[in-house]
Amino acid sequence: MMNLPNLLRNVVLAPYTTYQIGGPADLFLEVNTINELVEAVKYAREQKLPYFLLGTGANILISDKGFRGLVILNRATKFEFLNPRSDLKSPQRSVLLRAESGAVVADIIEACKEKNLSGFEHFSGIPSSIGGALWQNLHFLNPERTDTFFIESILVEATILDEENNIKKVEKDFFEFGYDDSILHHQEIIVLDATFQLSEKPKEKIQKQIDANLLWRTQKQPQLWEYPSCGSVFKKIEGAGAGRLIEQAGLKGSQIGGAKISEKHANYIMNTGNAKAADVLNLIDLVKKEVKEKLGYQMETEISLIGEK
Ligand SMILES: Cc1cc2nc3c(=O)[nH]c(=O)nc-3n(C[C@H](O)[C@H](O)[C@H](O)COP(=O)(O)OP(=O)(O)OC[C@H]3O[C@@H](n4cnc5c(N)ncnc54)[C@H](O)[C@@H]3O)c2cc1C
């Protein structure tokens, strides 16, 4: 049997999420390399332990009772720039970036900017690891509201651990990306690293894009330094807009316990300081009920609800 010397017991998960909400994990392991990540997942699978892989914890709500099993915190954060590859189609000379799955998108944006390389700056202001970004097909609608930029558009290939513990190289198509969706939702596949195609752009232009995105975000959405949250809670509803429906149902500003529907952006449920997961879940139920009754739309959550109910 494998031995995991740094395995901890009974670790409260709230500090590892952007919501700052969540009870304890029975078992908790921080991994700092891809090898450690593979060993940890194999350990959980061999022991038949339920496990959950945590990136930056920006798209999840962990229950108040916490997680019965092993939480693996992915801190394999290295990334490197690689030389251009002639087999890739691109109108411009392409530099590649290979990142471990725990690498933080904000760190990559800064490093790319310094090297005059474009691709990641569209995601400025969004908390995410590379693994979480591929899980959800990270996306951002530009401030002009004309184009949605998806991470799939710059992905070339990735290394994964499949359900049978094989390490494999896969190409972009393997992920079957959709809106807020990829194969990672449907199969127990772990992303180990990913390679992205970048294009050259002067850092001043990249900075301009970053500034525009951050300004738009600050004006339109509550920021994490104002209130902990997990971003948009409900899935997009084509033509109607989840946030707009919540607003039309008269729910902006509604509060249960420490959880509150944002006045700035109604698809955000904020933690005003001492929210429990139960408060957020009760607000989610309220939104679903009211929007269905008043406007006829069935709202679905975009975030993952993790842990013992
Ligand atoms: C303030 C705020 C604003 C946001 N704005 C946006 C936005 O504009 N656009 C957008 O798309 N999202 C947005 N989000 C949501 C969130 O940032 C993204 O979904 C992000 O990609 C989550 O990454 P993470 O590392 O935090 O994933 P986590 O929340 O840690 O995990 C999410 C899921 O991914 C899985 N996962 C993590 N790593 C791996 C891996 N290596 N292999 C397989 N599965 C893995 C986890 O197991 C989990 O199921 C926002 C969130 C916040 C808090």
Side-chain angles (χ1 to χ4, degrees):
M1 191 209 295
M2 251 177 265
N3 188 15
L4 298 175
N6 300 324
L7 196 60
L8 302 176
R9 281 174 199 281
N10 215 20
V11 173
V12 174
L13 296 170
Y16 299 101
T17 70
T18 56
Y19 239 145
Q20 302 287 304
I21 292 176
D26 286 347
L27 297 168
F28 181 90
L29 184 72
E30 177 176 330
V31 295
N32 295 292
T33 65
I34 293 303
N35 202 23
E36 286 174 12
L37 171 58
V38 170
E39 291 304 305
V41 173
K42 282 186 181 171
Y43 172 85
R45 288 174 174 176
E46 275 170 24
Q47 301 295 308
K48 305 224 177 325
L49 268 176
Y51 67 93
F52 179 72
L53 180 56
L54 188 56
T56 60
N59 205 29
I60 52 172
L61 175 64
I62 296 176
S63 71
D64 297 316
K65 288 186 181 162
F67 188 76
R68 303 289 75 81
L70 171 65
V71 168
I72 303 166
L73 178 64
N74 187 1
R75 291 286 190 259
T77 55
K78 288 204 203 93
F79 57 87
E80 60 180 340
F81 294 94
L82 308 175
N83 288 330
R85 247 170 52 186
S86 55
D87 59 316
L88 295 175
K89 290 186 212 97
S90 169
Q92 289 170 292
R93 199 175 80 93
S94 243
V95 173
L96 301 180
L97 174 122
R98 182 166 60 215
E100 293 180 345
S101 55
V104 173
V105 166
D107 297 339
I108 293 177
I109 294 171
E110 271 309 299
C112 287
K113 187 184 78 184
E114 286 314 309
K115 289 192 169 290
N116 299 298
L117 291 171
S118 166
F120 274 90
E121 68 276 16
H122 304 280
F123 306 118
S124 47
I126 309 178
S128 186
S129 66
I130 286 297
L134 296 188
W135 160 275
Q136 195 71 351
N137 195 9
L138 191 68
H139 51 84
F140 180 60
L141 177 58
N142 65 351
E144 298 76 41
R145 315 319 276 162
T146 48
D147 290 311
T148 301
F149 192 86
F150 292 89
I151 198 147
E152 66 168 308
S153 67
I154 53 171
L155 180 69
V156 176
E157 61 188 20
T159 313
I160 59 151
L161 181 71
D162 73 10
E163 290 177 325
E164 283 78 45
N165 286 337
N166 301 306
I167 293 177
K168 282 187 190 158
K169 276 244 178 291
V170 295
E171 300 205 345
K172 184 211 305 235
D173 289 351
F174 168 86
F175 285 91
E176 299 172 7
F177 286 114
Y179 196 94
D180 285 338
D181 195 31
S182 75
I183 197 167
L184 304 177
H185 286 239
H186 312 288
Q187 293 184 22
E188 229 179 270
I189 290 165
I190 304 294
V191 179
L192 303 180
D193 68 33
T195 301
F196 299 91
Q197 191 173 13
L198 307 169
S199 54
E200 288 173 350
K201 200 182 228 184
K203 62 164 73 99
E204 295 71 30
K205 281 198 173 165
I206 295 176
Q207 187 61 53
K208 224 173 140 188
Q209 174 82 64
I210 293 174
D211 292 344
N213 287 7
L214 291 181
L215 178 67
W216 184 88
R217 297 190 80 91
T218 312
Q219 286 169 345
K220 303 286 181 188
Q221 300 166 347
Q223 299 301 295
L224 287 178
W225 62 82
E226 301 169 289
Y227 292 105
S229 79
C230 66
S232 292
V233 170
F234 294 95
K235 282 186 187 161
K236 176 176 162 155
I237 295 188
E238 210 57 63
R244 251 177 294 146
L245 290 175
I246 299 169
E247 193 175 342
Q248 282 165 22
L251 294 169
K252 249 189 177 181
S254 301
Q255 183 153 2
I256 296 181
K260 184 176 178 186
I261 296 178
S262 165
E263 305 271 4
K264 244 190 201 179
H265 190 314
N267 202 358
Y268 275 55
I269 298 180
M270 310 173 306
N271 175 0
T272 61
N274 56 358
K276 298 273 168 221
D279 300 335
V280 179
L281 291 169
N282 286 335
L283 262 187
I284 288 174
D285 286 346
L286 179 75
V287 166
K288 283 181 173 170
K289 183 173 159 284
E290 295 280 303
V291 170
K292 180 81 188 147
E293 277 176 17
K294 291 185 180 158
L295 305 163
Y297 286 91
Q298 189 62 56
M299 305 282 278
E300 266 183 77
T301 47
E302 177 215 298
I303 56 170
S304 303
L305 307 174
I306 307 297
E308 190 185 348
K309 298 221 166 62

